[in-house]
Tab-separated table of all heavy atoms in Angstrom:
chain	number	residue	atom	x	y	z
A	1	SER	N	-6.604	2.347	-31.651
A	1	SER	CA	-6.610	3.752	-31.357
A	1	SER	C	-6.898	3.956	-29.806
A	1	SER	O	-7.144	3.000	-29.175
A	1	SER	CB	-7.627	4.539	-32.116
A	1	SER	OG	-8.947	4.112	-31.886
A	2	GLU	N	-6.742	5.130	-29.390
A	2	GLU	CA	-6.988	5.371	-27.925
A	2	GLU	C	-8.392	5.096	-27.627
A	2	GLU	O	-8.712	4.601	-26.552
A	2	GLU	CB	-6.627	6.838	-27.613
A	2	GLU	CG	-5.183	7.168	-27.654
A	2	GLU	CD	-4.903	8.575	-27.265
A	2	GLU	OE1	-5.849	9.339	-26.961
A	2	GLU	OE2	-3.674	8.959	-27.268
A	3	ALA	N	-9.389	5.438	-28.541
A	3	ALA	CA	-10.715	5.125	-28.170
A	3	ALA	C	-11.022	3.623	-28.144
A	3	ALA	O	-11.788	3.257	-27.183
A	3	ALA	CB	-11.585	5.775	-29.297
A	4	THR	N	-10.559	2.869	-29.133
A	4	THR	CA	-10.894	1.449	-29.096
A	4	THR	C	-10.160	0.779	-27.908
A	4	THR	O	-10.794	-0.132	-27.241
A	4	THR	CB	-10.386	0.803	-30.400
A	4	THR	OG1	-8.954	1.055	-30.580
A	4	THR	CG2	-11.231	1.321	-31.597
A	5	MET	N	-8.977	1.056	-27.541
A	5	MET	CA	-8.265	0.544	-26.403
A	5	MET	C	-9.072	0.911	-25.109
A	5	MET	O	-9.273	-0.012	-24.225
A	5	MET	CB	-6.867	1.132	-26.274
A	5	MET	CG	-5.884	0.603	-27.420
A	5	MET	SD	-5.422	-1.113	-27.164
A	5	MET	CE	-4.212	-0.792	-25.716
A	6	ALA	N	-9.379	2.134	-24.946
A	6	ALA	CA	-10.265	2.560	-23.812
A	6	ALA	C	-11.567	1.889	-23.720
A	6	ALA	O	-11.957	1.409	-22.627
A	6	ALA	CB	-10.427	4.066	-23.794
A	7	LEU	N	-12.184	1.582	-24.884
A	7	LEU	CA	-13.428	0.856	-24.908
A	7	LEU	C	-13.273	-0.590	-24.452
A	7	LEU	O	-14.056	-1.154	-23.600
A	7	LEU	CB	-14.139	0.980	-26.184
A	7	LEU	CG	-15.458	0.321	-26.420
A	7	LEU	CD1	-16.467	0.948	-25.406
A	7	LEU	CD2	-15.919	0.412	-27.800
A	8	ALA	N	-12.288	-1.201	-24.959
A	8	ALA	CA	-12.015	-2.620	-24.511
A	8	ALA	C	-11.717	-2.711	-23.034
A	8	ALA	O	-12.229	-3.679	-22.424
A	8	ALA	CB	-10.873	-3.176	-25.458
A	9	ILE	N	-10.873	-1.804	-22.598
A	9	ILE	CA	-10.599	-1.896	-21.180
A	9	ILE	C	-11.750	-1.595	-20.259
A	9	ILE	O	-12.002	-2.214	-19.189
A	9	ILE	CB	-9.390	-0.902	-20.836
A	9	ILE	CG1	-8.152	-1.340	-21.576
A	9	ILE	CG2	-9.136	-0.778	-19.297
A	9	ILE	CD1	-7.017	-0.396	-21.493
A	10	THR	N	-12.587	-0.599	-20.723
A	10	THR	CA	-13.744	-0.259	-19.980
A	10	THR	C	-14.775	-1.450	-19.884
A	10	THR	O	-15.203	-1.780	-18.813
A	10	THR	CB	-14.438	0.891	-20.638
A	10	THR	OG1	-13.587	2.091	-20.641
A	10	THR	CG2	-15.670	1.345	-19.867
A	11	LEU	N	-14.961	-2.095	-21.018
A	11	LEU	CA	-15.857	-3.222	-21.071
A	11	LEU	C	-15.333	-4.409	-20.242
A	11	LEU	O	-16.131	-5.084	-19.427
A	11	LEU	CB	-16.105	-3.706	-22.489
A	11	LEU	CG	-16.865	-2.827	-23.352
A	11	LEU	CD1	-17.035	-3.351	-24.789
A	11	LEU	CD2	-18.278	-2.597	-22.812
A	12	ALA	N	-14.015	-4.628	-20.175
A	12	ALA	CA	-13.431	-5.692	-19.420
A	12	ALA	C	-13.581	-5.374	-17.939
A	12	ALA	O	-14.006	-6.309	-17.074
A	12	ALA	CB	-11.933	-5.890	-19.699
A	13	GLY	N	-13.383	-4.132	-17.514
A	13	GLY	CA	-13.617	-3.686	-16.149
A	13	GLY	C	-15.110	-3.863	-15.736
A	13	GLY	O	-15.443	-4.214	-14.697
A	14	LEU	N	-15.884	-3.398	-16.665
A	14	LEU	CA	-17.352	-3.404	-16.428
A	14	LEU	C	-17.844	-4.867	-16.067
A	14	LEU	O	-18.557	-5.038	-15.034
A	14	LEU	CB	-18.055	-2.821	-17.609
A	14	LEU	CG	-19.622	-2.845	-17.567
A	14	LEU	CD1	-20.130	-1.872	-16.504
A	14	LEU	CD2	-20.243	-2.559	-18.876
A	15	PHE	N	-17.546	-5.826	-16.876
A	15	PHE	CA	-18.085	-7.150	-16.797
A	15	PHE	C	-17.314	-7.871	-15.646
A	15	PHE	O	-17.954	-8.764	-15.080
A	15	PHE	CB	-17.999	-7.810	-18.113
A	15	PHE	CG	-19.010	-7.331	-19.071
A	15	PHE	CD1	-18.631	-6.699	-20.276
A	15	PHE	CD2	-20.468	-7.434	-18.859
A	15	PHE	CE1	-19.514	-6.113	-21.208
A	15	PHE	CE2	-21.259	-6.944	-19.741
A	15	PHE	CZ	-20.860	-6.322	-20.973
A	16	SER	N	-16.029	-7.508	-15.427
A	16	SER	CA	-15.372	-8.240	-14.335
A	16	SER	C	-15.915	-7.740	-12.993
A	16	SER	O	-16.142	-8.557	-12.068
A	16	SER	CB	-13.886	-7.994	-14.341
A	16	SER	OG	-13.555	-6.597	-14.231
A	17	GLY	N	-16.220	-6.488	-12.908
A	17	GLY	CA	-16.826	-5.908	-11.717
A	17	GLY	C	-18.306	-6.435	-11.547
A	17	GLY	O	-18.732	-6.672	-10.425
A	18	ALA	N	-19.010	-6.662	-12.680
A	18	ALA	CA	-20.317	-7.203	-12.634
A	18	ALA	C	-20.364	-8.634	-12.041
A	18	ALA	O	-21.289	-8.980	-11.398
A	18	ALA	CB	-21.023	-7.133	-14.016
A	19	ALA	N	-19.335	-9.399	-12.416
A	19	ALA	CA	-19.352	-10.768	-11.907
A	19	ALA	C	-19.001	-10.882	-10.504
A	19	ALA	O	-19.443	-11.874	-9.918
A	19	ALA	CB	-18.305	-11.649	-12.722
A	20	ALA	N	-18.374	-9.925	-9.895
A	20	ALA	CA	-17.864	-10.055	-8.499
A	20	ALA	C	-18.994	-10.269	-7.456
A	20	ALA	O	-18.858	-11.231	-6.743
A	20	ALA	CB	-16.989	-8.827	-8.111
A	21	PRO	N	-19.939	-9.420	-7.368
A	21	PRO	CA	-20.973	-9.599	-6.370
A	21	PRO	C	-21.820	-10.874	-6.623
A	21	PRO	O	-22.247	-11.551	-5.702
A	21	PRO	CB	-21.875	-8.381	-6.530
A	21	PRO	CG	-21.641	-7.870	-7.867
A	21	PRO	CD	-20.240	-8.087	-8.184
A	22	LEU	N	-21.996	-11.217	-7.860
A	22	LEU	CA	-22.734	-12.486	-8.173
A	22	LEU	C	-22.004	-13.730	-7.783
A	22	LEU	O	-22.664	-14.654	-7.328
A	22	LEU	CB	-23.050	-12.488	-9.656
A	22	LEU	CG	-23.845	-11.318	-10.301
A	22	LEU	CD1	-23.926	-11.529	-11.872
A	22	LEU	CD2	-25.246	-11.362	-9.703
A	23	ILE	N	-20.639	-13.707	-7.894
A	23	ILE	CA	-19.796	-14.821	-7.419
A	23	ILE	C	-19.899	-14.931	-5.918
A	23	ILE	O	-20.036	-16.059	-5.381
A	23	ILE	CB	-18.420	-14.676	-7.921
A	23	ILE	CG1	-18.306	-14.802	-9.451
A	23	ILE	CG2	-17.510	-15.735	-7.283
A	23	ILE	CD1	-16.947	-14.520	-10.102
A	24	TYR	N	-19.808	-13.856	-5.207
A	24	TYR	CA	-19.965	-13.883	-3.730
A	24	TYR	C	-21.360	-14.412	-3.319
A	24	TYR	O	-21.432	-15.299	-2.431
A	24	TYR	CB	-19.855	-12.468	-3.117
A	24	TYR	CG	-18.440	-12.085	-3.009
A	24	TYR	CD1	-17.828	-11.165	-3.868
A	24	TYR	CD2	-17.740	-12.430	-1.873
A	24	TYR	CE1	-16.528	-10.754	-3.688
A	24	TYR	CE2	-16.344	-11.995	-1.680
A	24	TYR	CZ	-15.795	-11.112	-2.625
A	24	TYR	OH	-14.492	-10.740	-2.452
A	25	GLU	N	-22.396	-14.064	-3.954
A	25	GLU	CA	-23.687	-14.528	-3.746
A	25	GLU	C	-23.850	-16.067	-4.113
A	25	GLU	O	-24.398	-16.828	-3.298
A	25	GLU	CB	-24.737	-13.728	-4.488
A	25	GLU	CG	-26.181	-14.120	-4.335
A	25	GLU	CD	-26.679	-13.735	-2.958
A	25	GLU	OE1	-26.029	-12.873	-2.311
A	25	GLU	OE2	-27.701	-14.197	-2.418
A	26	ALA	N	-23.216	-16.370	-5.207
A	26	ALA	CA	-23.290	-17.812	-5.618
A	26	ALA	C	-22.531	-18.699	-4.594
A	26	ALA	O	-23.025	-19.786	-4.191
A	26	ALA	CB	-22.688	-18.017	-6.946
A	27	LEU	N	-21.366	-18.262	-4.100
A	27	LEU	CA	-20.761	-19.092	-3.103
A	27	LEU	C	-21.546	-19.148	-1.835
A	27	LEU	O	-21.467	-20.242	-1.108
A	27	LEU	CB	-19.277	-18.419	-2.841
A	27	LEU	CG	-18.263	-18.633	-3.954
A	27	LEU	CD1	-16.945	-17.915	-3.567
A	27	LEU	CD2	-18.047	-20.174	-4.057
A	28	ALA	N	-22.212	-18.054	-1.406
A	28	ALA	CA	-22.964	-18.118	-0.172
A	28	ALA	C	-24.157	-19.207	-0.369
A	28	ALA	O	-24.502	-19.872	0.554
A	28	ALA	CB	-23.552	-16.775	0.123
A	29	GLU	N	-24.649	-19.188	-1.536
A	29	GLU	CA	-25.766	-20.205	-1.803
A	29	GLU	C	-25.255	-21.586	-1.799
A	29	GLU	O	-25.929	-22.553	-1.277
A	29	GLU	CB	-26.395	-19.818	-3.216
A	29	GLU	CG	-27.177	-18.460	-3.265
A	29	GLU	CD	-28.482	-18.563	-2.442
A	29	GLU	OE1	-28.829	-19.660	-2.115
A	29	GLU	OE2	-29.057	-17.466	-2.236
A	30	ILE	N	-24.151	-21.854	-2.401
A	30	ILE	CA	-23.525	-23.215	-2.567
A	30	ILE	C	-23.096	-23.748	-1.241
A	30	ILE	O	-23.305	-24.889	-0.959
A	30	ILE	CB	-22.319	-23.222	-3.615
A	30	ILE	CG1	-22.842	-22.877	-4.947
A	30	ILE	CG2	-21.673	-24.497	-3.545
A	30	ILE	CD1	-21.841	-22.674	-5.994
A	31	THR	N	-22.462	-22.847	-0.378
A	31	THR	CA	-21.984	-23.323	0.918
A	31	THR	C	-23.024	-23.325	2.045
A	31	THR	O	-22.742	-23.629	3.155
A	31	THR	CB	-20.738	-22.490	1.366
A	31	THR	OG1	-21.168	-21.107	1.359
A	31	THR	CG2	-19.603	-22.630	0.380
A	32	TYR	N	-24.272	-22.933	1.690
A	32	TYR	CA	-25.333	-22.955	2.699
A	32	TYR	C	-25.554	-24.317	3.202
A	32	TYR	O	-25.446	-25.341	2.540
A	32	TYR	CB	-26.648	-22.327	2.198
A	32	TYR	CG	-27.764	-22.265	3.088
A	32	TYR	CD1	-27.877	-21.110	3.962
A	32	TYR	CD2	-28.688	-23.235	3.212
A	32	TYR	CE1	-28.915	-21.021	4.793
A	32	TYR	CE2	-29.763	-23.129	4.084
A	32	TYR	CZ	-29.862	-22.000	4.910
A	32	TYR	OH	-30.814	-21.954	5.843
A	33	PRO	N	-25.653	-24.576	4.549
A	33	PRO	CA	-26.066	-23.558	5.674
A	33	PRO	C	-24.883	-22.884	6.350
A	33	PRO	O	-25.062	-22.313	7.423
A	33	PRO	CB	-26.784	-24.442	6.582
A	33	PRO	CG	-26.265	-25.827	6.527
A	33	PRO	CD	-25.889	-25.928	4.996
A	34	LEU	N	-23.711	-23.055	5.847
A	34	LEU	CA	-22.517	-22.425	6.459
A	34	LEU	C	-22.733	-20.856	6.285
A	34	LEU	O	-23.387	-20.329	5.285
A	34	LEU	CB	-21.216	-22.806	5.763
A	34	LEU	CG	-20.866	-24.256	5.939
A	34	LEU	CD1	-19.559	-24.544	5.138
A	34	LEU	CD2	-20.671	-24.678	7.402
A	35	HIS	N	-22.234	-20.178	7.215
A	35	HIS	CA	-22.414	-18.690	7.175
A	35	HIS	C	-21.701	-18.077	5.980
A	35	HIS	O	-20.653	-18.558	5.569
A	35	HIS	CB	-21.822	-18.051	8.469
A	35	HIS	CG	-22.378	-16.726	8.732
A	35	HIS	ND1	-21.782	-15.520	8.161
A	35	HIS	CD2	-23.370	-16.257	9.473
A	35	HIS	CE1	-22.481	-14.481	8.595
A	35	HIS	NE2	-23.503	-14.914	9.389
A	36	GLU	N	-22.319	-17.030	5.394
A	36	GLU	CA	-21.846	-16.496	4.144
A	36	GLU	C	-20.472	-15.829	4.384
A	36	GLU	O	-19.791	-15.586	3.397
A	36	GLU	CB	-22.834	-15.448	3.501
A	36	GLU	CG	-23.250	-14.504	4.557
A	36	GLU	CD	-24.565	-14.801	5.203
A	36	GLU	OE1	-24.888	-15.943	5.331
A	36	GLU	OE2	-25.321	-13.811	5.636
A	37	SER	N	-20.153	-15.361	5.544
A	37	SER	CA	-18.827	-14.749	5.815
A	37	SER	C	-17.693	-15.806	5.605
A	37	SER	O	-16.588	-15.365	5.196
A	37	SER	CB	-18.794	-14.213	7.223
A	37	SER	OG	-18.888	-15.330	8.178
A	38	LEU	N	-18.000	-17.033	5.720
A	38	LEU	CA	-16.875	-18.055	5.528
A	38	LEU	C	-16.477	-18.219	4.107
A	38	LEU	O	-15.331	-18.139	3.781
A	38	LEU	CB	-17.398	-19.405	6.076
A	38	LEU	CG	-16.403	-20.582	5.856
A	38	LEU	CD1	-15.119	-20.394	6.592
A	38	LEU	CD2	-17.084	-21.887	6.349
A	39	SER	N	-17.477	-18.289	3.228
A	39	SER	CA	-17.329	-18.357	1.830
A	39	SER	C	-16.617	-17.098	1.288
A	39	SER	O	-15.739	-17.094	0.378
A	39	SER	CB	-18.549	-18.714	1.035
A	39	SER	OG	-19.525	-17.695	1.297
A	40	ALA	N	-17.127	-15.928	1.808
A	40	ALA	CA	-16.519	-14.670	1.357
A	40	ALA	C	-15.031	-14.556	1.778
A	40	ALA	O	-14.230	-14.036	0.980
A	40	ALA	CB	-17.403	-13.469	1.943
A	41	SER	N	-14.757	-14.980	2.995
A	41	SER	CA	-13.370	-14.922	3.529
A	41	SER	C	-12.478	-15.824	2.623
A	41	SER	O	-11.288	-15.458	2.265
A	41	SER	CB	-13.272	-15.347	4.953
A	41	SER	OG	-14.111	-14.511	5.757
A	42	ILE	N	-12.995	-16.980	2.323
A	42	ILE	CA	-12.106	-17.905	1.470
A	42	ILE	C	-11.847	-17.337	0.062
A	42	ILE	O	-10.711	-17.387	-0.450
A	42	ILE	CB	-12.730	-19.288	1.294
A	42	ILE	CG1	-12.880	-19.983	2.703
A	42	ILE	CG2	-12.071	-20.221	0.276
A	42	ILE	CD1	-13.629	-21.270	2.669
A	43	LEU	N	-12.860	-16.631	-0.459
A	43	LEU	CA	-12.721	-16.099	-1.851
A	43	LEU	C	-11.741	-14.947	-1.736
A	43	LEU	O	-10.890	-14.752	-2.676
A	43	LEU	CB	-14.110	-15.614	-2.381
A	43	LEU	CG	-14.067	-14.980	-3.709
A	43	LEU	CD1	-13.572	-15.873	-4.753
A	43	LEU	CD2	-15.545	-14.494	-4.076
A	44	VAL	N	-11.798	-14.112	-0.703
A	44	VAL	CA	-10.938	-12.903	-0.641
A	44	VAL	C	-9.505	-13.354	-0.408
A	44	VAL	O	-8.565	-12.826	-1.025
A	44	VAL	CB	-11.391	-12.171	0.634
A	44	VAL	CG1	-10.264	-11.049	0.960
A	44	VAL	CG2	-12.691	-11.418	0.321
A	45	GLN	N	-9.264	-14.494	0.302
A	45	GLN	CA	-7.897	-14.988	0.445
A	45	GLN	C	-7.360	-15.562	-0.926
A	45	GLN	O	-6.107	-15.331	-1.239
A	45	GLN	CB	-7.849	-16.183	1.443
A	45	GLN	CG	-8.230	-15.741	2.938
A	45	GLN	CD	-7.327	-14.624	3.333
A	45	GLN	OE1	-6.055	-14.548	3.092
A	45	GLN	NE2	-7.843	-13.522	4.138
A	46	TRP	N	-8.250	-16.210	-1.664
A	46	TRP	CA	-7.742	-16.721	-2.923
A	46	TRP	C	-7.393	-15.523	-3.844
A	46	TRP	O	-6.480	-15.556	-4.658
A	46	TRP	CB	-8.802	-17.582	-3.626
A	46	TRP	CG	-8.819	-19.016	-3.168
A	46	TRP	CD1	-9.640	-19.657	-2.353
A	46	TRP	CD2	-7.826	-19.953	-3.510
A	46	TRP	NE1	-9.297	-20.971	-2.223
A	46	TRP	CE2	-8.111	-21.215	-2.936
A	46	TRP	CE3	-6.610	-19.837	-4.436
A	46	TRP	CZ2	-7.347	-22.298	-3.066
A	46	TRP	CZ3	-5.871	-21.060	-4.584
A	46	TRP	CH2	-6.225	-22.250	-3.925
A	47	ILE	N	-8.199	-14.462	-3.842
A	47	ILE	CA	-7.924	-13.271	-4.634
A	47	ILE	C	-6.638	-12.614	-4.190
A	47	ILE	O	-5.874	-12.218	-5.139
A	47	ILE	CB	-9.174	-12.267	-4.540
A	47	ILE	CG1	-10.351	-12.728	-5.177
A	47	ILE	CG2	-8.730	-10.852	-5.105
A	47	ILE	CD1	-11.574	-11.921	-4.857
A	48	ASN	N	-6.399	-12.567	-2.965
A	48	ASN	CA	-5.162	-12.053	-2.483
A	48	ASN	C	-3.874	-12.781	-2.960
A	48	ASN	O	-2.919	-12.333	-3.380
A	48	ASN	CB	-5.101	-11.853	-0.953
A	48	ASN	CG	-6.055	-10.818	-0.440
A	48	ASN	OD1	-6.415	-9.900	-1.125
A	48	ASN	ND2	-6.574	-11.012	0.754
């Protein structure tokens, strides 16, 4: 139904958005002592 479809899409967007900042933070931690802008730039390029 429209409600169940909207709920599924909303949850998918909610948790995909929730993972985004955590992944940026995790990459900055893993690539330390390199600057966090480097890992963020690489991730953005892969997303594009």
Side-chain angles (χ1 to χ4, degrees):
S1 63
E2 293 183 358
T4 55
M5 290 283 287
L7 181 59
I9 294 173
T10 300
L11 291 177
L14 175 70
F15 291 111
S16 64
L22 300 176
I23 292 173
Y24 278 100
E25 184 70 19
L27 284 177
E29 294 288 349
I30 294 172
T31 58
Y32 182 84
L34 297 177
H35 200 273
E36 53 265 24
S37 61
L38 178 61
S39 61
S41 300
I42 294 174
L43 180 60
V44 169
Q45 294 304 320
W46 276 107
I47 292 174
N48 292 335

